[in-house]
Amino acid sequence: MNRLNFFFTLLLLLVASPIAPCNATEASPTGGKAGHFFSAIQNEVGHKLNARGLTLGNQVFIRILKLPGILELWVKKDTTFELFSSYPICTYSGYPGPKLREGDLQSPEGFYHVRRNQLNPTSSYHLAFDIGYPNLYDLNNHRDGSNIMIHGGCSSTGCFAMGDKKMEEIYVTVQQALLAGQQKVEVHIFPFALTKPNLERFSQSPWINFWKSMAPMYIFFEKRKQLPIITVVKNSYSLN
Protein backbone atom coordinates (compact mmCIF):
# COMPACT_ATOMS: atom_id res chain seq x y z
CA MET A 1 0.00 0.00 0.00
CA ASN A 2 1.53 3.35 -0.98
CA ARG A 3 1.30 6.42 1.24
CA LEU A 4 -1.56 7.97 -0.75
CA ASN A 5 -3.66 4.81 -0.50
CA PHE A 6 -2.85 4.57 3.21
CA PHE A 7 -4.28 8.00 3.98
CA PHE A 8 -7.25 7.38 1.67
CA THR A 9 -8.01 4.24 3.69
CA LEU A 10 -7.95 6.30 6.87
CA LEU A 11 -10.36 8.84 5.40
CA LEU A 12 -12.83 6.08 4.60
CA LEU A 13 -12.62 4.64 8.11
CA LEU A 14 -12.66 7.76 10.24
CA VAL A 15 -15.69 9.51 11.67
CA ALA A 16 -15.73 13.31 11.67
CA SER A 17 -15.36 14.88 15.12
CA PRO A 18 -17.19 18.10 16.11
CA ILE A 19 -15.04 20.62 17.96
CA ALA A 20 -15.67 21.34 21.65
CA PRO A 21 -13.42 21.53 24.70
CA CYS A 22 -13.09 18.63 27.13
CA ASN A 23 -13.86 19.36 30.77
CA ALA A 24 -11.19 18.55 33.35
CA THR A 25 -12.49 19.94 36.64
CA GLU A 26 -11.31 17.67 39.44
CA ALA A 27 -14.05 16.65 41.88
CA SER A 28 -14.99 13.95 44.36
CA PRO A 29 -16.18 10.67 42.78
CA THR A 30 -19.83 11.51 43.53
CA GLY A 31 -19.89 15.26 44.05
CA GLY A 32 -22.33 17.28 42.00
CA LYS A 33 -24.79 14.43 41.45
CA ALA A 34 -27.54 13.42 43.88
CA GLY A 35 -27.07 10.15 45.71
CA HIS A 36 -30.17 8.60 44.13
CA PHE A 37 -28.71 9.32 40.68
CA PHE A 38 -25.70 7.08 41.30
CA SER A 39 -27.76 4.53 43.26
CA ALA A 40 -30.08 4.00 40.30
CA ILE A 41 -27.19 3.49 37.89
CA GLN A 42 -25.38 1.19 40.34
CA ASN A 43 -28.46 -1.01 40.65
CA GLU A 44 -28.86 -1.22 36.89
CA VAL A 45 -25.19 -1.97 36.23
CA GLY A 46 -25.03 -4.38 39.16
CA HIS A 47 -27.88 -6.45 37.72
CA LYS A 48 -26.21 -6.56 34.31
CA LEU A 49 -22.93 -7.67 35.84
CA ASN A 50 -24.58 -10.30 38.03
CA ALA A 51 -26.30 -11.76 34.98
CA ARG A 52 -22.83 -12.32 33.55
CA GLY A 53 -21.44 -13.79 36.76
CA LEU A 54 -19.55 -10.58 37.51
CA THR A 55 -19.69 -8.19 40.45
CA LEU A 56 -19.84 -4.41 40.65
CA GLY A 57 -16.75 -3.26 42.55
CA ASN A 58 -14.45 -5.87 41.05
CA GLN A 59 -11.35 -4.62 39.26
CA VAL A 60 -11.92 -3.19 35.80
CA PHE A 61 -9.85 -2.48 32.70
CA ILE A 62 -10.58 -0.27 29.69
CA ARG A 63 -9.30 -0.88 26.18
CA ILE A 64 -9.97 1.50 23.31
CA LEU A 65 -9.61 0.64 19.62
CA LYS A 66 -9.83 3.78 17.47
CA LEU A 67 -10.70 1.57 14.50
CA PRO A 68 -13.45 0.37 14.46
CA GLY A 69 -14.22 2.94 17.19
CA ILE A 70 -15.06 0.97 20.33
CA LEU A 71 -14.39 1.16 24.05
CA GLU A 72 -14.19 -2.21 25.77
CA LEU A 73 -14.98 -2.50 29.48
CA TRP A 74 -13.45 -5.57 31.11
CA VAL A 75 -14.23 -6.79 34.65
CA LYS A 76 -12.03 -9.13 36.65
CA LYS A 77 -13.35 -12.53 37.68
CA ASP A 78 -11.00 -14.70 39.72
CA THR A 79 -7.57 -14.19 38.09
CA THR A 80 -8.57 -13.03 34.60
CA PHE A 81 -10.61 -10.26 33.01
CA GLU A 82 -13.86 -10.89 31.16
CA LEU A 83 -15.35 -8.56 28.57
CA PHE A 84 -18.44 -6.96 30.10
CA SER A 85 -19.41 -4.67 27.23
CA SER A 86 -18.15 -3.05 24.02
CA TYR A 87 -19.45 0.49 23.53
CA PRO A 88 -19.38 2.33 20.21
CA ILE A 89 -17.47 5.59 20.67
CA CYS A 90 -19.73 8.49 19.75
CA THR A 91 -16.74 10.47 18.49
CA TYR A 92 -13.03 11.03 19.03
CA SER A 93 -10.56 13.46 17.50
CA GLY A 94 -8.10 12.90 14.72
CA TYR A 95 -6.95 9.68 13.12
CA PRO A 96 -4.85 6.60 14.02
CA GLY A 97 -1.61 7.82 15.57
CA PRO A 98 -0.58 9.35 18.90
CA LYS A 99 -1.26 12.80 20.27
CA LEU A 100 1.81 15.01 20.00
CA ARG A 101 0.96 18.46 21.31
CA GLU A 102 -1.68 20.66 22.88
CA GLY A 103 -4.29 21.72 20.36
CA ASP A 104 -3.45 19.22 17.63
CA LEU A 105 -7.04 17.87 17.76
CA GLN A 106 -5.66 14.36 18.13
CA SER A 107 -6.65 11.65 20.64
CA PRO A 108 -3.73 9.84 22.29
CA GLU A 109 -2.53 6.27 22.01
CA GLY A 110 -0.61 4.39 24.66
CA PHE A 111 -0.97 3.12 28.21
CA TYR A 112 -2.72 5.30 30.78
CA HIS A 113 -4.59 4.95 34.05
CA VAL A 114 -7.35 6.52 36.11
CA ARG A 115 -7.19 7.11 39.88
CA ARG A 116 -9.97 8.36 42.16
CA ASN A 117 -8.89 11.99 41.93
CA GLN A 118 -9.28 11.84 38.14
CA LEU A 119 -13.03 11.17 38.33
CA ASN A 120 -15.22 14.16 37.56
CA PRO A 121 -18.99 13.87 38.20
CA THR A 122 -19.46 17.63 37.68
CA SER A 123 -18.19 17.70 34.10
CA SER A 124 -20.07 19.85 31.63
CA TYR A 125 -20.05 16.66 29.56
CA HIS A 126 -22.29 14.89 32.12
CA LEU A 127 -19.66 12.57 33.61
CA ALA A 128 -15.94 12.30 32.87
CA PHE A 129 -12.59 11.01 33.98
CA ASP A 130 -9.09 12.09 32.98
CA ILE A 131 -6.97 9.30 31.49
CA GLY A 132 -3.67 10.83 32.65
CA TYR A 133 -2.20 12.14 29.41
CA PRO A 134 0.69 12.95 29.11
CA ASN A 135 2.23 9.92 30.79
CA LEU A 136 5.96 9.37 31.35
CA TYR A 137 6.42 7.98 27.84
CA ASP A 138 4.77 11.06 26.35
CA LEU A 139 6.90 13.42 28.44
CA ASN A 140 10.10 11.57 27.53
CA ASN A 141 9.14 11.94 23.87
CA HIS A 142 8.42 15.67 24.25
CA ARG A 143 4.67 15.33 23.77
CA ASP A 144 2.36 17.69 25.58
CA GLY A 145 -1.32 18.40 26.12
CA SER A 146 -3.81 18.16 28.97
CA ASN A 147 -7.39 17.45 29.98
CA ILE A 148 -7.81 14.31 27.90
CA MET A 149 -11.01 12.67 29.04
CA ILE A 150 -13.40 9.84 28.50
CA HIS A 151 -16.71 11.63 28.91
CA GLY A 152 -20.38 11.92 28.00
CA GLY A 153 -21.76 13.99 25.18
CA CYS A 154 -20.75 13.57 21.55
CA SER A 155 -18.06 16.15 20.73
CA SER A 156 -14.30 16.06 21.16
CA THR A 157 -11.03 17.95 20.71
CA GLY A 158 -8.80 15.11 21.89
CA CYS A 159 -11.14 13.22 24.20
CA PHE A 160 -13.26 10.12 23.72
CA ALA A 161 -16.94 11.09 23.83
CA MET A 162 -19.23 8.18 24.67
CA GLY A 163 -22.70 9.72 24.90
CA ASP A 164 -24.39 10.27 28.25
CA LYS A 165 -26.14 6.93 28.82
CA LYS A 166 -23.14 4.79 27.94
CA MET A 167 -20.89 7.04 30.02
CA GLU A 168 -23.08 6.52 33.08
CA GLU A 169 -22.46 2.77 32.92
CA ILE A 170 -18.74 3.16 32.26
CA TYR A 171 -18.28 5.82 34.95
CA VAL A 172 -20.10 3.91 37.70
CA THR A 173 -18.24 0.67 36.95
CA VAL A 174 -14.90 2.50 37.17
CA GLN A 175 -16.01 4.55 40.19
CA GLN A 176 -17.12 1.50 42.20
CA ALA A 177 -13.91 -0.40 41.44
CA LEU A 178 -11.83 2.52 42.69
CA LEU A 179 -14.00 3.01 45.78
CA ALA A 180 -13.68 -0.72 46.51
CA GLY A 181 -9.90 -0.49 46.61
CA GLN A 182 -8.53 -0.72 43.07
CA GLN A 183 -5.68 1.76 43.06
CA LYS A 184 -5.86 2.63 39.37
CA VAL A 185 -7.86 1.55 36.35
CA GLU A 186 -5.66 0.84 33.35
CA VAL A 187 -6.68 2.43 30.03
CA HIS A 188 -4.96 1.03 26.94
CA ILE A 189 -5.54 2.94 23.71
CA PHE A 190 -4.64 1.40 20.36
CA PRO A 191 -5.17 2.56 16.77
CA PHE A 192 -6.72 -0.85 15.98
CA ALA A 193 -6.19 -4.45 17.06
CA LEU A 194 -2.41 -4.83 16.84
CA THR A 195 -2.42 -8.12 15.03
CA LYS A 196 0.17 -9.06 12.43
CA PRO A 197 -2.25 -8.67 9.48
CA ASN A 198 -3.32 -5.21 10.66
CA LEU A 199 0.27 -4.07 11.16
CA GLU A 200 1.09 -5.27 7.65
CA ARG A 201 -1.96 -3.46 6.29
CA PHE A 202 -0.79 -0.15 7.78
CA SER A 203 2.92 -0.73 7.23
CA GLN A 204 3.27 2.53 5.30
CA SER A 205 2.13 4.64 8.23
CA PRO A 206 4.76 6.93 9.77
CA TRP A 207 3.66 5.44 13.14
CA ILE A 208 4.26 1.79 12.28
CA ASN A 209 7.29 1.46 14.58
CA PHE A 210 5.37 3.02 17.47
CA TRP A 211 2.50 0.60 16.91
CA LYS A 212 4.88 -2.37 16.70
CA SER A 213 6.37 -1.34 20.06
CA MET A 214 2.90 -1.59 21.64
CA ALA A 215 1.99 -4.89 19.98
CA PRO A 216 3.59 -7.17 22.64
CA MET A 217 1.40 -5.57 25.34
CA TYR A 218 -1.70 -6.01 23.19
CA ILE A 219 -0.86 -9.64 22.47
CA PHE A 220 -0.06 -10.35 26.14
CA PHE A 221 -3.57 -9.36 27.21
CA GLU A 222 -5.20 -11.09 24.25
CA LYS A 223 -3.58 -14.41 25.17
CA ARG A 224 -3.81 -14.29 28.98
CA LYS A 225 -6.65 -11.86 29.78
CA GLN A 226 -4.35 -10.49 32.46
CA LEU A 227 -2.83 -7.03 32.51
CA PRO A 228 0.78 -6.76 31.37
CA ILE A 229 3.26 -4.91 33.56
CA ILE A 230 4.43 -2.01 31.42
CA THR A 231 7.32 0.30 32.22
CA VAL A 232 8.94 3.18 30.40
CA VAL A 233 12.64 2.83 29.69
CA LYS A 234 14.01 6.15 28.44
CA ASN A 235 11.72 6.88 25.48
CA SER A 236 10.26 3.40 24.93
CA TYR A 237 7.54 1.18 26.41
CA SER A 238 8.82 -2.08 27.86
CA LEU A 239 6.91 -5.27 28.71
CA ASN A 240 8.07 -6.84 31.97
Side-chain angles (χ1 to χ4, degrees), residues 6 13 28 75 90 102 117 138 156 191 208 210 231 233:
F6 165 75
L13 291 170
S28 69
V75 178
C90 188
E102 186 82 46
N117 65 351
D138 299 317
S156 168
I208 188 61
F210 172 64
T231 58
V233 179

Side-chain angles (χ1 to χ4, degrees), residues 75-94:
V75 178
K76 196 169 188 180
K77 182 179 182 182
D78 300 323
T79 60
T80 59
F81 284 87
E82 293 191 12
L83 181 61
F84 170 51
S85 189
S86 293
Y87 305 92
I89 299 171
C90 188
T91 193
Y92 66 89
S93 297

Side-chain angles (χ1 to χ4, degrees), residues 3-18 64-70 89-98 104-109 156 159-160 189-192 201-202 205 207 211:
R3 190 173 295 271
L4 179 61
N5 287 338
F6 165 75
F7 285 109
F8 180 69
T9 300
L10 291 183
L11 287 174
L12 291 176
L13 291 170
L14 295 176
V15 177
S17 301
I64 291 174
L65 302 176
K66 287 183 174 179
L67 300 177
I70 60 170
I89 299 171
C90 188
T91 193
Y92 66 89
S93 297
Y95 49 86
D104 64 2
L105 304 183
Q106 179 73 2
S107 299
E109 293 171 6
S156 168
C159 301
F160 296 93
I189 306 172
F190 300 107
F192 40 76
R201 179 185 180 192
F202 291 99
S205 169
W207 299 113
W211 294 339

